[in-house]
Amino acid sequence: MTRLPSQEDLGQGRECALGTLVAIQQAVFAHPRIEDSWSEILEALGLAIAAQRVLYWQGKSVPLQGASLYCQAHWLRSTVTRPVDSVPASVPSYWQVSRSALRRLQQGQTLNGRLADFSQIRSAKGETCRDLWVLVSPIVVQGQCWGVLRCDHPAHKWREASVFAVVQAVAATIALKLSQRDREGVPPAVTAPSLPVTLQSLECLSSSPLTTAMSDVACFQALWGQTAMGLSQIDAKHRFIRVNECFCDIVGYSEAELIGRSFADITHPDDLNANLNLSTQLFKGEIPSYTLEKRLIRKDGEVRWVQLSVALLRSPAGIPQCDIAIAKDITDRKQTEARLRSQTRREQAVNRVTQTMRRSLLLDTVFSAAMQEISELLDVDFADIAQYIPAEKLWRQVACYSSHPEAFPSTLGHTFPDEDNPVTAQLKQLQMVTLTDNSYLDLVHPVLGKTLIGARILVPIPNYQSSDPNAPKAWGRLRLGKHTQPTWSEAEIEIIQILVDQLAIAIQQSELYRLVHRFNQDLERQVQARTAELQRVLDFEALLKRITEKVRDSLDEGQILQTVVRELGQGLGVKCCDTALYDADMTTATIVYEYTPVIPAATQTVIQMATYRDLYTQIARGNSFQFCWWGPCSVRPAKQAQVILVCPIVDDQSVLGDLWLVRGPQESFDPLEISLVEQVAAQCAIALRQARLYAASQVQVQELERLNYLKDDFLSTVSHELRSPMSNIKMATQMLEILLKRQGLLQPPQPTAIAAPAPASASQLDRYFKILQDECEREISLINDLLDLSRLEAGTEPLTLTTMDIQHWLPHLVEPFYSRAASHQQQLQMIVPDSLPPLTTDFAYLGRLVRELMNNACKYTPAHETITLAAQATHQAMIIRVSNSGVEIPPVELGRMFEKFYRIPSNNPWKHGGTGLGLALVKRMVDHLGATIAVTHPDRVLQFTITLPHRESLPHRENSEGSTCSA
């Protein structure tokens, strides 16, 4: 956004105000009608005082009577700085001023404030914009207000007296034009040129209201002599026709001496052509005005700089008459600018030298660049730098420059003493030394002391790099010399001091760079060492993990020890790594495994611990240690000394063995390696203990398997041997029953009719005979179960596969259990869908295991509880569930239900006997069928679930009927 010029930018300066008034007066009197010049007048005024809008208002009658003003002409700035508070782009058509503002305008007073303070209607089309400030000047003709000039600004109150004066002077010029038109009716003849007024005259005008009209001649005469700048009138031949007193003071000539002379006589020759060309173009009408800075030669010969603002005056007919020049003395400004340019060039040179010195961080490069640049900047014959070395009590030349090497030879590397040297004493106190004779030169430079004449200066270089208060103040000194110059100017000394300070900073930076570089190198070495150590730690952790995983995956003691010595020996790169195991009495150690890429092997060597009592005493205490073996060794004869690390293999009970690692005599084991070996030994001890426990458990398992086999073999043999006697007993019992029934001693069962009471002896005989039959059947059932269990465990019985519809088969199987459940007041229900697919299996085994589960449910279900048999099919298997409610079984007993001869204690409400082989047979038959069985016990319901995978179906008769029975 274009910045709106402030009053300080556009309204400040006497020449600007005067030039503006000249342009406005020319525009006013160049046109016969004032209406033709409104645009030029308002634009020039708005730009001069930095307004955003300038308007000319007039009432319905002249002079102004009513409070309603109407806009006759306006000017609006095209650029806006503040969009929020800027003046509205639309121009109002009328303005309703307040009564108090109207009275002040009629009295010729200027208004300055917010627009709302001088308006009656506060909402008229944005005219009361927030922070809109106005400056209103009345146009007074013949003592009465004909109209007003209003200058608007969005957020700035008019305070400058120069602005008041300019606005009031423009209003006075307009009033003069209006009064001439009213008096004559035609444009007046210009009897005297209208000249620009000074700010002093404008301030006089702004101090009191205009109550009378001003004539152009009186205004010209009053303002010509009061202006504070040089004014002159020059004709077309470049001759002075009128000058004021201020112009005479500038050039040093009187008015009489200047009238009739050409301005070329007092213009500097270098500026004359430019001035003549502009003046010629002005009179030819090629340019309306021009501004020029040129030099004038005073009468006393002094050259003065002036700034000219020149405008052309024309007659009403448009004929050029003369030009009016405003001359402002700018000599002081030009001298200041010259000094600033000189200072700028000097600063640029110093900056160039400074940048050259700072371009490198190496001292030799810094000194070389500094000598070259300083010598060229100050135009010296020689320059050198010496460093103060307190430890050696001398100064050493570290850099030098010579414009004539043959006349001034190099002194690089030369030294001169510090003690009893008055020159260096001053330098160490940071005092500058200027030498005008050769009295001290022998102390400073013996070679130059005999040949050099001229100006010599020694400047101390401060020691900025040390914060130690006891450190020397001076780092060194810079010496400069000129062969032909006797002294140094203040400007040169100032430049030298600046350059020395910059040189000291460059030296400090170089030293810091050297320290930082060395610190970075040390840090990089530390980082590399730390990185190598961390990598070594990671490698050891990986080795430990690898060894741990291998020994934990194995339960073979030999494989564990062999893995440990091989991995540990390769990982640490030792000459030998072996492991030895101790006997139970801790008297001998046998080397069982070893890794020996270099030295001879010693596997299966038995070491008597008493021979090396000191070593094995420490090992027995669980201590790891390393030592140097020097001398004969019965285990591994060696020609040179060896460093050996010994680490015991210790568990929580005893010392199992040890690990020995061997290296050369110039090597040793660091703490990280010792820690690794100790951790490996700990893992090895755990693995050895586990391997030995596993070996012991395997022996026990084999013994238990042998005992179990003997038990099963005994049961099978006994069952087989008992089966024939029990069969004979059963047959004898049946024959006895027939004989007793024939003799009438045994009552036959009478299910329908009520029999007569039998004698007491007969009832006892029946009861005893019943006991004999039941126990016989029980023993035969036990023997059959044992034999069946043996056959099932042997896995020799083939399956007889049949395909049936299980929904038709299950009801016949379960039918005998309805009466039994009813006699125990139990509820028996069967849930079998009609749409079950055919099942292919050995139905003999399946029927026996279902009957066994139903028998078990009837035996352990209390009265008034429910027994459920359900079947369902999935895509993979047929599922049969047998469940009974009202059963409380501890969770620990569920896992033992399928064990042989196991019976749940105190869980038989009907006191039925049993052998404890029923569920064991069920489990074996389920396995024989290739099925699975699971037992769960949710909410006092014991449930057995048999899952029979589908087999390839055999040919069968399809039957869609199903059954769901309950009792």
Side-chain angles (χ1 to χ4, degrees), residues 860 862 885-890 904-907 937 939-942:
Y860 295 105
S885 62
V887 181
E888 287 286 350
I889 299 178
I904 299 175
S906 305
N907 200 42
H937 185 36
D939 298 333
R940 298 178 71 244
V941 175
L942 183 64

Side-chain angles (χ1 to χ4, degrees), residues 349 352-354 356-357 359 364-385 399-405 478-480 499 503:
R352 186 182 67 254
V353 176
T354 301
T356 303
M357 288 189 296
R359 195 169 293 125
D364 294 340
T365 307
V366 171
F367 290 154
S368 176
M371 290 295 92
Q372 184 70 25
E373 292 292 340
I374 291 173
S375 301
E376 293 179 1
L377 178 62
L378 298 175
D379 192 21
V380 299
D381 294 321
F382 76 92
D384 58 30
I385 297 174
C400 63
Y401 166 81
S402 175
S403 60
H404 304 287
L478 169 68
R479 181 177 55 180
L480 303 173
L499 294 177
L503 181 60

Side-chain angles (χ1 to χ4, degrees), residues 311-337:
L312 184 65
L313 287 180
R314 299 177 181 271
S315 66
I319 300 174
Q321 293 183 338
C322 64
D323 64 18
I324 301 176
I326 304 172
K328 178 182 179 181
D329 192 345
I330 60 173
T331 303
D332 293 339
R333 192 192 77 186
K334 285 292 185 179
Q335 293 175 351
T336 302
E337 291 176 354

Side-chain angles (χ1 to χ4, degrees), residues 210-231:
L210 296 176
T211 56
T212 59
M214 299 174 57
S215 68
D216 52 351
V217 177
C219 178
F220 170 77
Q221 295 295 341
L223 299 181
W224 180 266
Q226 296 179 10
T227 181
M229 286 182 286
L231 300 178

Side-chain angles (χ1 to χ4, degrees), residues 738-813:
I738 295 173
L739 292 175
L740 291 176
K741 286 181 178 179
R742 287 178 180 177
Q743 296 178 6
L745 297 178
L746 187 65
Q747 294 291 333
Q750 297 178 1
T752 56
I754 299 176
S761 59
S763 62
Q764 289 180 354
L765 182 61
D766 291 340
R767 184 164 56 87
Y768 293 149
F769 193 79
K770 181 62 175 173
I771 293 174
L772 179 61
Q773 285 181 326
D774 292 342
E775 292 302 322
C776 182
E777 290 293 335
R778 180 179 177 186
E779 293 303 321
I780 292 175
S781 176
L782 174 61
I783 293 171
N784 291 333
D785 288 345
L786 287 173
L787 292 175
D788 293 340
L789 192 61
S790 298
R791 287 194 300 271
L792 289 173
E793 288 179 347
T796 58
E797 291 291 329
L799 293 177
T800 303
L801 299 180
T802 307
T803 302
M804 292 186 182
D805 294 326
I806 194 172
Q807 59 267 34
H808 300 154
W809 175 77
L810 278 178
H812 298 288
L813 181 69

Side-chain angles (χ1 to χ4, degrees), residues 376-681:
E376 293 179 1
L377 178 62
L378 298 175
D379 192 21
V380 299
D381 294 321
F382 76 92
D384 58 30
I385 297 174
Q387 181 181 3
Y388 175 43
I389 306 176
E392 302 179 14
K393 297 182 180 180
L394 54 82
W395 297 63
R396 178 176 287 112
Q397 297 286 120
V398 295
C400 63
Y401 166 81
S402 175
S403 60
H404 304 287
E406 65 282 354
F408 309 112
S410 173
T411 59
L412 185 65
H414 289 190
T415 61
F416 51 90
D418 179 59
E419 293 183 346
D420 301 328
N421 193 330
V423 175
T424 59
Q426 296 180 57
L427 292 174
K428 288 189 292 185
Q429 297 300 320
L430 300 182
Q431 298 177 8
M432 188 181 300
V433 179
T434 303
L435 301 179
T436 57
D437 54 28
N438 298 339
S439 58
Y440 293 138
L441 279 180
D442 291 337
L443 298 174
V444 179
H445 198 311
V447 178
L448 294 181
K450 297 180 177 60
T451 60
L452 181 63
I453 60 174
R456 299 165 300 282
I457 186 169
L458 289 80
V459 185
I461 301 174
N463 185 12
Y464 290 151
Q465 63 190 13
S466 177
S467 59
D468 185 3
N470 299 322
K473 298 180 181 179
W475 180 90
R477 63 103 177 99
L478 169 68
R479 181 177 55 180
L480 303 173
K482 291 187 178 182
H483 184 65
T484 57
Q485 179 175 317
T487 59
W488 299 86
S489 65
E490 293 183 359
E492 289 177 326
I493 293 176
E494 182 181 357
I495 292 176
I496 292 172
Q497 190 62 56
I498 293 174
L499 294 177
V500 166
D501 289 339
Q502 295 299 324
L503 181 60
I505 294 174
I507 292 172
Q508 179 191 18
Q509 292 178 343
S510 178
E511 290 294 331
L512 290 176
Y513 169 75
R514 183 179 62 81
L515 293 175
V516 170
H517 183 65
R518 186 174 64 185
F519 174 77
N520 287 338
Q521 289 180 338
D522 295 341
L523 184 61
E524 184 176 358
R525 285 193 294 269
Q526 294 176 8
V527 169
Q528 291 176 353
R530 183 59 178 166
T531 302
E533 183 179 357
L534 291 176
Q535 185 61 44
R536 193 158 169 255
V537 170
L538 293 176
D539 293 341
F540 282 179
E541 289 181 354
L543 175 61
L544 178 61
K545 182 180 180 182
R546 186 167 63 250
I547 295 174
T548 302
E549 290 176 350
K550 287 184 178 180
V551 299
R552 287 184 178 177
D553 291 341
S554 176
L555 292 173
D556 185 0
E557 181 175 326
Q559 185 179 359
I560 292 172
L561 294 176
Q562 187 175 4
T563 301
V564 167
V565 296
R566 184 180 64 252
E567 294 289 343
L568 199 56
Q570 293 176 353
L572 296 182
V574 296
K575 298 170 65 175
C576 176
C577 177
D578 64 47
T579 179
L581 295 180
Y582 300 163
D583 61 350
D585 299 332
M586 293 286 290
T587 58
T588 61
T590 304
I591 299 177
V592 291
Y593 294 100
E594 63 180 348
Y595 168 78
T596 58
V598 177
I599 62 178
T603 307
Q604 301 305 321
T605 301
V606 179
I607 305 171
Q608 298 296 326
M609 293 185 178
T611 306
Y612 307 100
R613 187 179 304 276
D614 295 338
L615 291 177
Y616 286 100
T617 300
Q618 296 187 55
I619 295 175
R621 295 173 182 171
N623 297 329
S624 299
F625 58 92
Q626 59 179 322
F627 64 95
C628 184
W629 192 295
W630 185 269
C633 177
S634 61
V635 180
R636 288 189 176 89
K639 297 181 180 180
Q640 60 179 358
Q642 296 175 340
V643 175
I644 299 176
L645 172 63
V646 180
C647 183
I649 302 175
V650 184
D651 64 359
D652 55 350
Q653 299 178 6
S654 62
V655 179
L656 304 179
D658 56 36
L659 287 171
W660 285 45
L661 291 89
V662 182
R663 278 182 172 170
Q666 305 300 326
E667 303 176 79
S668 62
F669 295 89
D670 57 32
L672 188 60
E673 293 174 326
I674 296 175
S675 175
L676 172 65
V677 176
E678 289 177 345
Q679 294 181 63
V680 171

Side-chain angles (χ1 to χ4, degrees), residues 48 67 104 190 195 387 612 759 818 822 909:
R104 292 174 61 184
V190 179
L195 297 178
Q387 181 181 3
Y612 307 100
Y818 285 111

Side-chain angles (χ1 to χ4, degrees), residues 75-130:
W75 171 82
L76 180 64
R77 184 180 293 277
S78 60
T79 58
V80 176
T81 302
R82 301 175 59 198
V84 176
D85 297 327
S86 61
V87 173
S90 60
V91 179
S93 58
Y94 82 100
W95 176 27
Q96 192 77 10
V97 299
S98 61
R99 295 295 179 182
S100 59
L102 179 62
R103 286 194 298 270
R104 292 174 61 184
L105 291 173
Q106 290 173 343
Q107 294 173 4
Q109 298 181 15
T110 301
L111 307 180
N112 181 22
R114 288 187 175 85
L115 178 63
D117 298 337
F118 309 126
S119 303
Q120 289 185 8
I121 303 175
R122 297 177 179 267
S123 60
K125 298 181 181 180
E127 273 297 285
T128 57
C129 178
R130 181 171 63 89

